[in-house]
Amino acid sequence: MSTPRAATATDAVRNPRRALAIVVAVVFVDLLGFGVVIPILPFYVRSFGVSDVFIGLLAASYSLLQFGFAPFLGRLSDQRGRRPVIMLSLAGSAVAWTIFGLAAEFSSLFGFTAGVAVLFVSRMLAGAMGGNIAAAQAYIADITPAERRAEALGLVGASFALGFVFGPAIGGLFASDAVVAVAGDIFPTFVPATPFSLPSFAAAGLSLLSLGFAALFLEEPARTRGTAPRTTLVSQFADALGDGNLRGLVVSFFLVSVAFSGIQVMFIPFAADVYGYQETQTAFLLTYIGVLGVFNQGLLVGRLSRRYRDSSIAVAGAVVLLVALAAIPFSPQLGAFLSIPTDAAPAYLTPALLALLVVLALLSLGNSLLNVALTTLVSKATSAETQGSAFGVTQGAGSLGRTVGPPAMAALYVFTYWSPFVAGALLMLPILAILVGIARGRFGVQADERADRAVGETDGGDTENE
């Protein structure tokens, strides 16, 4: 006879599936706004007449503030609730994007320095509010049973990918001459209508849309409130690194972010320098990666998680990602081993491009498997009352990696074009060692097995996945 099931977080949400769909939709719309600004950001910075170095500095300022605020927002969501933190961050994002679109006006009114300062202020505010992903992940952990958590968190990853598939296209539309001309006729004279301001305002509007959606439909899930005293960012990281179940996961998040963010920044120069591609071709390649990411994280990872342990999926993802990173710079050489019938393929599909497409498919697969599995392991390695704090620390570690990775990999690229990709592959080796240790139970109690045992004890039944 099984023991009665204890009340869980999902019991306080009337429809957990509906709640999951809503929070994923909120994340998607928010990330869609972020993607809208991607196509115009480098050109906007150049319009101020400054060096391209400022593009990297703006990216670093965003990630640095996200690093600082993700643990705070995660812990705040443990104490005050997931819903208010998500709504606060969406409102802040709307303000940040609006200010960003007005930076050129500040430059005209108050001088070049003021305009550049506004750019940095807006990106830093957006970075601080970007830490809301920790609260969203904790929300999903609150409403999802442990055995289904990888599948649910994979949907958040898929929403990221979708945001980067559709966002740039929307941004390009709002920056087009036709839309700018129409907006110039409609807007009052004090509202700027430029290829830079309109995408920024569109991003702000999407954040407001997401805020309204959350206000109307997002429920507050039940959770065990944290009762720990207030701690500093440094102490939160120190506590996480002192926890045998979290230490390796925090380090892994940091190293993955250093490797992958650096590759993201340097892939477009690589495609231009080695393949001779222009903006349109590289945009197609990024869209290709994004579409694969949607499939991998929205469908494939969830199905795999029902059959395999999260630690095993993480190890497999790290191996695939290592191979893909190491292979990217040598894709043209790998293409020499491929043969394409000339009468069965379009002229642009050369062996070198086909090799690159295969390698990028592996890159998307490895990144999807590793990131979702790591996130699920974090969720299962922590108690119910500290989910937000744990996600905040790991997201903060990822943001710190995204602060370090791009400038470091850019410096390596200047030295030689293949070095950042090989360096990224080498960074996967310590991650693999950590994950293999977790899978074998050497680093504390294995997180996913511990959670599965807890489910079995609660339900009084078999815990095998379907």
Side-chain angles (χ1 to χ4, degrees):
M1 180 177 178
S2 62
T3 57
R5 186 173 66 87
T8 65
T10 60
D11 295 329
V13 176
R14 291 189 296 272
N15 189 331
R17 288 189 177 183
R18 177 175 177 270
L20 175 62
I22 290 171
V23 74
V24 169
V26 167
V27 171
F28 166 67
V29 175
D30 191 31
L31 265 294
L32 189 66
F34 182 84
V36 164
V37 181
I38 289 177
I40 61 104
L41 180 61
F43 303 102
Y44 197 14
V45 173
R46 288 177 177 176
S47 72
F48 286 83
V50 297
S51 166
D52 285 354
V53 172
F54 278 81
I55 300 173
L57 292 176
L58 277 176
S61 68
Y62 179 96
S63 297
L64 187 62
L65 266 291
Q66 191 178 50
F67 161 71
F69 274 80
F72 167 74
L73 291 177
R75 187 174 185 276
L76 186 65
S77 76
D78 285 336
Q79 296 176 333
R80 302 294 184 181
R82 316 297 188 205
R83 182 175 180 271
V85 168
I86 291 173
M87 292 178 62
L88 171 67
S89 61
L90 291 172
S93 294
V95 173
W97 291 127
T98 301
I99 296 174
F100 187 74
L102 296 173
E105 299 303 304
F106 277 87
S107 180
S108 299
L109 293 173
F110 305 108
F112 156 80
T113 303
V116 173
V118 169
L119 278 182
F120 275 91
V121 168
S122 64
R123 296 304 292 148
M124 292 169 72
L125 177 59
M129 297 298 99
N132 66 357
I133 189 62
Q137 289 172 325
Y139 186 105
I140 290 174
D142 290 336
I143 65 173
T144 309
E147 66 273 15
R148 298 290 188 186
R149 203 163 289 163
E151 184 176 2
L153 290 168
L155 293 176
V156 175
S159 69
F160 266 78
L162 281 170
F164 286 107
V165 169
F166 294 107
I170 296 173
L173 174 65
F174 277 94
S176 66
D177 293 338
V179 174
V180 170
V182 171
D185 293 335
I186 296 174
F187 286 2
T189 55
F190 61 87
V191 178
T194 71
F196 308 127
S197 65
L198 291 185
S200 304
F201 296 157
L206 287 167
S207 292
L208 289 175
L209 176 64
S210 190
L211 173 62
F213 195 70
L216 290 174
F217 302 111
L218 191 65
E219 299 179 65
E220 175 64 30
R223 69 190 190 287
T224 304
R225 266 65 170 179
T227 57
R230 292 182 180 273
T231 57
T232 65
L233 173 64
V234 173
S235 65
Q236 288 185 61
F237 270 90
D239 291 343
L241 293 174
D243 185 332
N245 289 317
L246 278 179
R247 181 189 306 116
L249 298 172
V250 172
V251 172
S252 296
F253 264 93
F254 171 74
L255 293 177
V256 169
S257 297
V258 171
F260 202 75
S261 66
I263 301 311
Q264 285 177 315
V265 169
M266 300 318 303
F267 175 73
I268 292 179
F270 164 79
D273 296 340
V274 176
Y275 281 81
Y277 289 161
Q278 302 299 317
E279 293 85 353
T280 301
Q281 292 99 323
T282 54
F284 280 134
L285 288 175
L286 294 177
T287 300
Y288 167 73
I289 297 172
V291 170
L292 290 176
V294 173
F295 171 78
N296 291 330
Q297 299 192 57
L299 181 63
L300 181 62
V301 174
R303 293 190 174 185
L304 290 176
S305 68
R306 299 176 192 176
R307 301 187 60 183
Y308 303 101
R309 295 183 305 179
D310 299 309
S311 55
S312 299
I313 293 175
V315 170
V319 171
V320 173
L321 191 55
L322 186 157
V323 172
L325 289 172
I328 285 177
F330 309 110
S331 297
Q333 290 78 13
L334 294 174
F337 296 97
L338 301 176
S339 177
I340 302 177
T342 55
D343 58 345
Y348 64 82
L349 187 59
T350 63
L353 174 58
L354 180 59
L356 180 62
L357 293 176
V358 172
V359 171
L360 292 179
L362 291 176
L363 182 78
S364 176
L365 175 62
N367 183 59
S368 298
L369 294 175
L370 181 57
N371 274 287
V372 175
L374 281 176
T375 304
T376 307
L377 287 171
V378 170
S379 170
K380 294 180 178 180
T382 55
S383 61
E385 64 269 17
T386 58
Q387 291 279 311
S389 297
F391 281 126
V393 170
T394 54
Q395 288 300 317
S399 298
L400 182 60
R402 288 187 292 274
T403 303
V404 174
M409 295 302 182
L412 286 174
Y413 189 86
V414 172
F415 175 69
T416 178
Y417 78 94
W418 54 261
S419 58
F421 304 97
V422 174
L426 292 175
L427 284 174
M428 301 309 298
L429 294 176
I431 297 172
L432 261 175
I434 292 170
L435 294 175
V436 169
I438 292 175
R440 295 181 177 179
R442 289 203 300 263
F443 299 149
V445 180
Q446 187 177 327
D448 53 349
E449 288 189 345
R450 183 180 70 175
D452 289 341
R453 286 200 300 270
V455 171
E457 292 168 358
T458 302
D459 291 340
D462 191 2
T463 61
E464 287 189 7
N465 291 331
E466 297 176 1

